[in-house]
Amino acid sequence: LLKENFPEIEKVVTKIGSAEVPTEPNPVELGDMIVVLKDQSEWTSAKNREELANKISEVLQENLPQASFGVQQPIQMRFNELMTGARQDVVVKIYGEDLDTLAVYADKLGKLIRPVAGAEDLYTEKMTGLPQIIVNYNRENLAKYGLSINEVNRTVTAAFAGEEAGQVYEGEKRFSLVVRLDEQDRKDITDVQNLFVSNKAGFQIPLHQLASVEMKDGPNQIQRDGTKRRISVGFNVRNRDVQSIVDEIQGKVDAGLKLPPGYSMTYGGQFQNLIEAKSRLSVAVPLALLLIFVLLFFAFRSVKQSILIFTAIPLSAIGGVFALLFRDMPFSISAGVGFIALFGVAVLNGIVLIGYFNQLKEGGMTNIEEIIRKGTAARLRPIIMTATVASLGFLPMALSNSAGAEVQKPLATVVIGGLITATLLTLVVLPVIYYFSEKGVRAKKVLVASMLVFGPLVVSAQDRQPMPLDQVLQMAQENNGLIRQAGLEVELRTALKKTAIDLPKTEIDYSQGKLNSPFIDNRVGVTQRFSWPTTWQAQQKLLQEQKVLSQKQLQTRQHELNYRVKSVYTQLAYLFEQNTLLQRQDSIFNMLEKAADVRFRTGESGLLEKTTATTQRLELTDRIRQNEAEINVQMAELNGLVQAPQPLNIIPEKLRPANITSPAAPQALNHPLLGVYQQQVSVAEREQRAEKSKISPDITLGYFNQSLAGTYEIEGRNQYFGRGDRFQGVEAGIALPLFFGAQAARVKAAGLNKQIAEAELKNQKIQLGTELKGAREREQRLSSSLQFYQEKVLANANLALQQADKAYRSGEAGYLNYLQAADQMLRIRQNYLQLLLEYRLTIYQLEYLKGN
C-alpha cells in the first residue's frame, strides 16, 4: 500500500512481535515499520513531513481498518518509550484494579479524544482478548473416580505441553525424553474435552466428565506503573500545540467521563515534559533577566541607566509575541529559549545608544537636545547593523523545513521578530525616556522629545540646491556600493583568466644509495605533468564567458540603478510641485480666513463662515506638513541610492509636459537582464565543454641524471665507472582516464545546468514582455488623459477661479462660492500633477524594460 501510493518511499522494513531473544518488551501483535524515504527534493505527494504523515495514516486506516497505526520519527518514538513507556507523543494512563473496567474506560476515553483537532494516530492499549482454554474441575466427579486434581493436571500437561519420561543416551550425550500427544490430536478444544485420564483402577475417563472445558478471552498483557495496574491511550500531535490539546481533552473528560472510586488518570509524554520545562523556565527566565540587569549595572554604574536600557526587553518581547502570532506558531519551550536569547541581544542596542550619549556628555556637551540629536544620528547605522546581523544569523533557522525545524523555527522567529520591534522602538522610545530621565517629565517636553527622535531624520528645506537628473544619475553610478561591487567582480574575472593554463608543480627527486649495484649511486630526476591542450583551451573559453557574464551583470545593475534613481527623483519633483501648489492654495485660504474673520466681527456673516474658513485652512496646513514629511522620506531613499560622500539636499527639476515624450517602441526586448540570462546559457555550455575536456589524458615528461658505479664490459673489455661518470635520459608517459564515471556524471550535470539556464531565459523573456505590454497600454491611457487635461480641464478651471475671484472681490459672489472654486481648482491641479507623475514613471518603466 505504501509503495503503491507514495513514490517518495524508497523501501519499507518491518519487524513484528517479539524475537527469540527479546531486546524490547513488544507484544506479538505490535510491529515496527521502518519507512526509508527518498530525498525531499524528489517528493511529489507532500511538501513536508507532517503532510506526508497525515496522508500515510489516511491510506493505511482506509485500507486496513482492523489495525491502528502511528507515524513518528524513530528516535522520537524511542525517547517517548523511554520516558513514558508508550510510543506516542501524549499518553493518558488510567490506573485501577480490574482489567475489564480499565479496558471499558480506555475505550470511552479514546472516543472522546478521536474528534479533537491535532490529535492523530490514536492508539488504545489492548489488555484483553487473548483466547484461553479454561478447565474448571468438578470435585465430586473426581472423588467418585478416585482422582486428585494433581493427577488430572499432570495428564493434561503431559498431553498438551509435554512431560519428561526418561533419558536418552547417545555416546556421552544425554537428552531428555519428552512425550505428548501428536499434533493432529491437539488442534481443537474437543481434543482437550475428550482427553482420557486413567485412575488407579485402570479405567480411562474422558476429561469432560471430570471438568468443564471452555474457550474464553483472557488478559493479553498486564501493565503496571508503581505496582498499580494501568492501561494507556496515546496519540501523536500534529499542527497544534500540546498544551491546548491536553486542556481540551481534560475539559471533555471532566464533563463526560467519571471514573469509579479507586481509579485515577494521568497525562504524560510531551505534556509532562512541557510541565517540567515550564517549571525550569520559571526559574531560568527571571535568573537571566537578573543577570542582564547586573551586567548592565556593572557596565554603567547607574541603576537609572540600567533600568533605561532594560526597557529594550519588553519592547523586544512585543515583537517576539507578534512574530509567533503572524506565523501561527504556538508558544513552546523552543520559543521560551528564544525569548531568553532575544533579551540578551536586545539590550545591545540600548548599550550602543546610551553609551554614546554618555560619551558625548563626558566630552563636554551639556545640551540634552543636542546630545540626543547627534547621538541618534551617529548611532543609527550601528544599531541597525547590530539587529540586522543577528537577525540574518537566525534567518536560515526561521525558514528551515528539514529535520529539527520544529525546534529551530520558533526560536528563530522569536529572535527575529523581537529584534525588529526592539530596534525600531529603541530608536524612538529610548531617546524620549532618556530625555525625561535627564530633564524630568513635563507635558510640554513630550513634543520636544518626540521631535528630537525624528530630528536627525528630517532634512530642513533650507540650503537646498537645484540639481538636474543627469548629475544625480552620474553621482549614483560613481558612488553606489552595488556598482562598485559589480565592477570588482569584473576585475576578479579578468584576473582569473590567467589561471586557464595552470601547470602542476614540477617534481624534483633525488635518490642516493645502492640503487643499481653494491656501490653507492645517486640519481636526480625532474618530472612535469601537463593537461591535454584542449583542456586548457576549454578552460580559457569558460573563463572568458564568465568575465563577459560579470560585465553584463554590471550593466544590469547600472541599468536598474538608473531606473530607480529616475523614479525617486521624479517622485521628489512631484512632491515639490505639490508643495508649491499647496503653499499657493494656503495663501488663498489664509486670505479668506482673515476676510471671514473681519466679516464676522463686523456682523456681515455668521460664525459658520468663519469656522469653515478656519477648518479649511487647518486641513490644508496638515496636508502641507504630510507632504514635507514625504519629501524627507523620498530624499532619504535617494541618498540611499546615490550614496554620495555628503548627503544630498537638492531641489529637483520641475515636472513639465513638454519634457515627456514617448520613446519609439522597438520590436524586440533589449533589457540587460536578458543578456545576463543569455550569457548564463553560454557559461553553462562552456562549463559542459570544460568538463568533457577533463576526460582527455594527461602527459608526463621527465629527465633524469644518475651514476652507475662499478665495472662493466663494454665492447669486449672491462671499464670502471665512478660516481663522477653520469648517465642521463628522458621519460615520457600518459595518464589515461580508464574510470571516468564520476566525470561523466559531472558532464551530465553541466548539461542539465545549461537546460536550467535556457528555461530561466525563456521565462524572463515572457515576464518582461508581459510587463512591457502593460506599460505600453498604461502609457497610451495616461497620454490621452494628459492631453484632455491640458486642452480642456486646466483652462476651464483657471477661468472659473479667475471669475470667482472677480465676483468675490466685487461682492457678486459669496465666500462659500469662492471657497468652492478654490478647492476645486486645487483638486484639479493635484489630479493633473498625479497624472504627470504616473506618466513620467510609466515612460521610465518603458525605457527600463526596453533597455534604453
Side-chain angles (χ1 to χ4, degrees):
L1 278 175
L2 292 177
K3 298 202 71 175
E4 287 176 359
N5 289 276
F6 301 99
E8 298 85 355
I9 296 178
E10 183 176 336
K11 57 184 175 181
V12 182
V13 181
T14 303
K15 55 177 184 175
I16 189 165
S18 299
E20 292 184 1
V21 180
T23 56
E24 49 190 351
N26 284 348
V28 294
E29 78 277 3
L30 183 65
D32 286 340
M33 302 179 65
I34 315 286
V35 180
V36 181
L37 299 174
K38 298 178 182 177
D39 189 82
Q40 193 166 2
S41 60
E42 302 179 32
W43 289 13
T44 57
S45 303
K47 297 180 180 179
N48 51 48
R49 191 187 70 84
E50 289 75 13
E51 183 180 355
L52 183 63
N54 290 332
K55 291 185 176 181
I56 288 176
S57 296
E58 291 175 3
V59 170
L60 293 177
Q61 294 292 358
E62 181 180 352
N63 292 274
L64 297 170
Q66 67 272 26
S68 61
F69 297 90
V71 183
Q72 288 180 280
Q73 294 281 12
I75 298 178
Q76 178 187 6
M77 181 187 70
R78 292 305 180 200
F79 269 102
N80 290 342
E81 195 171 22
L82 286 173
M83 290 185 296
T84 63
R87 303 184 173 198
Q88 289 71 32
D89 293 339
V90 179
V91 180
V92 185
K93 297 180 180 180
I94 304 176
Y95 296 89
E97 293 298 328
D98 185 70
L99 296 179
D100 293 332
T101 304
L102 290 176
V104 170
Y105 281 98
D107 185 62
K108 292 181 179 179
L109 179 61
K111 292 179 180 179
L112 290 176
I113 295 176
R114 191 176 302 278
V116 175
E120 305 289 343
D121 305 333
L122 181 65
Y123 170 74
T124 303
E125 192 174 18
K126 301 299 181 183
M127 298 188 67
T128 60
L130 183 65
Q132 296 179 346
I133 298 176
I134 306 297
V135 180
N136 288 319
Y137 292 110
N138 188 325
R139 295 180 181 270
E140 292 182 359
N141 291 343
L142 288 175
K144 182 189 301 182
Y145 291 105
L147 291 171
S148 66
I149 292 177
N150 186 40
E151 291 173 336
V152 180
N153 275 341
R154 184 180 180 188
T155 302
V156 174
T157 303
F160 293 96
E163 186 78 13
E164 185 175 345
Q167 302 288 332
V168 177
Y169 293 89
E170 290 184 4
E172 294 184 356
K173 298 179 181 179
R174 183 177 62 180
F175 304 93
S176 296
L177 177 62
V178 177
V179 296
R180 64 177 176 178
L181 289 178
D182 190 61
E183 185 176 357
Q184 62 182 4
D185 294 325
R186 47 187 173 87
K187 287 184 176 180
D188 194 72
I189 190 173
T190 56
D191 295 329
V192 183
Q193 294 171 343
N194 297 326
L195 178 68
F196 289 104
V197 180
S198 299
N199 62 3
K200 296 179 180 179
F203 295 101
Q204 291 186 336
I205 304 97
L207 182 61
H208 63 82
Q209 294 184 8
L210 303 175
S212 63
V213 182
E214 297 175 326
M215 181 79 73
K216 292 184 178 181
D217 286 341
N220 176 37
Q221 60 180 350
I222 300 177
Q223 299 282 5
R224 295 178 184 270
D225 284 348
T227 73
K228 293 183 180 180
R229 289 183 176 181
R230 59 91 173 161
I231 189 171
S232 63
V233 179
F235 58 89
N236 293 325
V237 178
R238 296 199 194 104
N239 302 323
R240 191 174 173 185
D241 63 296
V242 177
Q243 181 73 56
S244 63
I245 287 183
V246 174
D247 290 342
E248 182 177 348
I249 293 174
Q250 285 178 333
K252 289 189 173 185
V253 169
D254 293 339
L257 187 63
K258 302 297 182 182
L259 295 176
Y263 290 78
S264 61
M265 184 183 302
T266 62
Y267 297 84
Q270 289 187 7
F271 177 73
Q272 181 179 355
N273 297 338
L274 179 65
I275 299 301
E276 294 175 355
K278 279 185 176 180
S279 64
R280 289 192 294 269
L281 281 178
S282 63
V283 177
V285 173
L287 183 60
L289 296 177
L290 177 62
L291 289 175
I292 291 173
F293 184 82
V294 170
L295 292 175
L296 288 175
F297 178 76
F298 288 160
F300 290 93
R301 298 294 179 182
S302 170
V303 175
K304 180 177 68 175
Q305 292 194 351
S306 299
I307 296 175
L308 186 64
I309 299 174
F310 208 72
T311 57
I313 290 179
L315 298 180
S316 63
I318 294 173
V321 172
F322 276 101
L324 290 176
L325 290 175
F326 178 75
R327 300 195 69 183
D328 194 22
M329 292 181 176
F331 178 81
S332 61
I333 302 306
S334 299
V337 176
F339 276 107
I340 296 177
L342 170 64
F343 295 158
V345 180
V347 298
L348 294 179
N349 290 336
I351 293 174
V352 171
L353 193 60
I354 300 301
Y356 192 68
F357 287 170
N358 293 339
Q359 182 179 346
L360 293 176
K361 198 172 182 180
E362 292 173 359
M365 189 176 295
T366 58
N367 189 294
I368 301 300
E369 292 87 348
E370 189 63 26
I371 289 175
I372 295 177
R373 287 194 189 96
K374 189 171 182 179
T376 51
R379 286 296 176 261
L380 176 63
R381 182 177 297 177
I383 289 174
I384 294 177
M385 286 301 298
T386 300
T388 302
V389 170
S391 299
L392 291 179
F394 282 94
L395 189 60
M397 295 171 60
L399 302 179
S400 173
N401 287 313
S402 59
E406 66 276 4
V407 177
Q408 299 176 7
K409 290 171 71 173
L411 189 152
T413 299
V414 167
V415 174
I416 294 176
L419 287 178
I420 292 175
T421 57
T423 302
L424 297 178
L425 296 179
T426 297
L427 291 171
V428 176
V429 177
L430 194 58
V432 175
I433 301 177
Y434 179 80
Y435 181 86
F436 291 153
S437 67
E438 296 294 327
K439 286 283 192 178
V441 181
R442 293 182 184 176
K444 185 178 179 180
K445 292 180 179 178
V446 174
L447 179 61
V448 175
S450 302
M451 293 301 296
L452 288 174
V453 174
F454 297 101
L457 306 178
V458 178
V459 181
S460 174
Q462 300 176 356
D463 301 327
R464 285 189 172 131
Q465 299 296 327
M467 183 174 293
L469 176 60
D470 293 339
Q471 185 177 351
V472 177
L473 291 173
Q474 182 179 357
M475 292 179 64
Q477 294 294 340
E478 292 174 354
N479 298 289
N480 187 269
L482 291 177
I483 302 300
R484 291 199 300 270
Q485 178 184 345
L488 292 174
E489 181 71 20
V490 175
E491 295 180 9
L492 171 65
R493 294 299 174 183
T494 303
L496 287 176
K497 282 185 62 179
K498 298 180 180 180
T499 65
I501 302 177
D502 187 11
L503 293 176
K505 296 180 180 179
T506 302
E507 297 181 6
I508 301 176
D509 59 277
Y510 173 81
S511 303
Q512 182 170 339
K514 299 178 180 180
L515 305 177
N516 308 290
S517 64
F519 302 97
I520 300 299
D521 288 310
N522 58 56
R523 182 184 186 277
V524 179
V526 179
T527 306
Q528 180 65 56
R529 189 165 183 167
F530 304 87
S531 298
W532 200 257
T534 55
T535 303
W536 293 341
Q537 184 180 11
Q539 188 66 22
Q540 188 173 19
K541 291 182 178 180
L542 171 60
L543 293 173
Q544 175 61 29
E545 294 295 341
Q546 290 176 342
K547 175 188 174 182
V548 175
L549 175 60
S550 63
Q551 292 172 339
K552 291 184 178 294
Q553 290 174 338
L554 172 61
Q555 295 172 1
T556 301
R557 289 189 178 180
Q558 291 173 335
H559 187 63
E560 292 176 350
L561 179 62
N562 282 340
Y563 172 65
R564 293 182 62 189
V565 170
K566 287 179 181 179
S567 300
V568 176
Y569 185 93
T570 304
Q571 290 177 4
L572 264 178
Y574 161 77
L575 292 172
F576 273 84
E577 291 270 356
Q578 182 168 258
N579 192 64
T580 302
L581 180 62
L582 292 174
Q583 294 288 354
R584 186 183 307 164
Q585 197 75 6
D586 184 68
S587 63
I588 296 176
F589 280 20
N590 274 326
M591 179 192 68
L592 292 176
E593 183 184 18
K594 292 177 182 178
D597 182 69
V598 173
R599 288 166 58 86
F600 173 75
R601 284 189 281 106
T602 57
E604 297 180 13
S605 64
L607 182 61
L608 175 63
E609 181 177 324
K610 178 179 180 300
T611 305
T612 303
T614 303
T615 303
Q616 292 282 353
R617 197 264 307 165
L618 291 175
E619 181 184 6
L620 193 60
T621 301
D622 181 69
R623 294 176 62 183
I624 292 173
R625 184 165 56 248
Q626 293 180 8
N627 190 77
E628 290 176 348
E630 186 63 23
I631 288 176
N632 292 329
V633 172
Q634 294 297 328
M635 193 71 71
E637 184 173 354
L638 182 64
N639 277 294
L641 293 173
V642 175
Q643 299 179 8
Q646 296 296 329
L648 299 180
N649 189 13
I650 65 172
I651 299 177
E653 297 173 317
K654 293 186 177 182
L655 288 175
R656 298 297 183 189
N659 295 337
I660 303 177
T661 57
S662 179
Q667 297 299 321
L669 288 169
N670 192 27
H671 196 284
L673 189 59
L674 295 180
V676 172
Y677 282 97
Q678 183 63 54
Q679 189 60 29
Q680 287 179 348
V681 175
S682 301
V683 169
E685 182 178 359
R686 287 297 177 186
E687 287 177 346
Q688 185 180 21
R689 294 183 180 180
E691 294 296 339
K692 287 181 178 179
S693 68
K694 293 179 182 179
I695 303 178
S696 303
D698 291 343
I699 302 172
T700 302
L701 297 177
Y703 166 82
F704 68 88
N705 187 297
Q706 72 175 54
S707 63
L708 293 172
T711 302
Y712 299 91
E713 183 178 351
I714 300 177
E715 294 181 356
R717 61 191 183 89
N718 293 330
Q719 186 174 349
Y720 174 79
F721 294 91
R723 284 189 294 176
D725 300 314
R726 311 298 296 178
F727 300 87
Q728 60 186 353
V730 296
E731 298 174 343
I734 186 170
L736 299 175
L738 299 181
F739 308 98
F740 51 84
Q743 188 61 33
R746 294 188 186 96
V747 174
K748 183 178 179 181
L752 294 174
N753 192 28
K754 177 184 175 184
Q755 295 179 17
I756 293 173
E758 291 173 344
E760 291 177 344
L761 173 62
K762 182 178 179 181
N763 179 61
Q764 196 63 36
K765 284 183 178 179
I766 294 174
Q767 289 184 1
L768 290 176
T770 303
E771 293 180 15
L772 180 60
K773 181 179 178 181
R776 285 174 177 168
E777 294 176 354
R778 189 162 56 252
E779 184 269 338
Q780 294 175 1
R781 174 177 58 81
L782 293 173
S783 176
S784 176
S785 297
L786 277 175
Q787 186 176 1
F788 176 77
Y789 261 77
Q790 292 170 358
E791 294 177 356
K792 297 183 179 180
V793 179
L794 289 179
N796 290 331
N798 288 329
L799 180 60
L801 182 61
Q802 293 173 4
Q803 295 298 325
D805 183 71
K806 291 180 181 180
Y808 177 77
R809 294 181 183 276
S810 63
E812 297 177 2
Y815 163 80
L816 293 178
N817 293 332
Y818 185 82
L819 186 63
Q820 182 180 6
D823 185 68
Q824 183 180 8
M825 180 61 187
L826 174 63
R827 287 189 291 102
I828 291 174
R829 292 290 300 178
Q830 286 180 333
N831 292 339
Y832 177 66
L833 279 177
Q834 185 68 32
L835 281 174
L836 277 179
L837 172 65
E838 294 179 6
Y839 185 81
R840 179 66 67 88
L841 292 178
T842 303
I843 294 300
Y844 288 152
Q845 186 182 14
L846 282 171
E847 294 175 352
Y848 169 75
L849 293 173
K850 295 174 183 177
N852 296 349

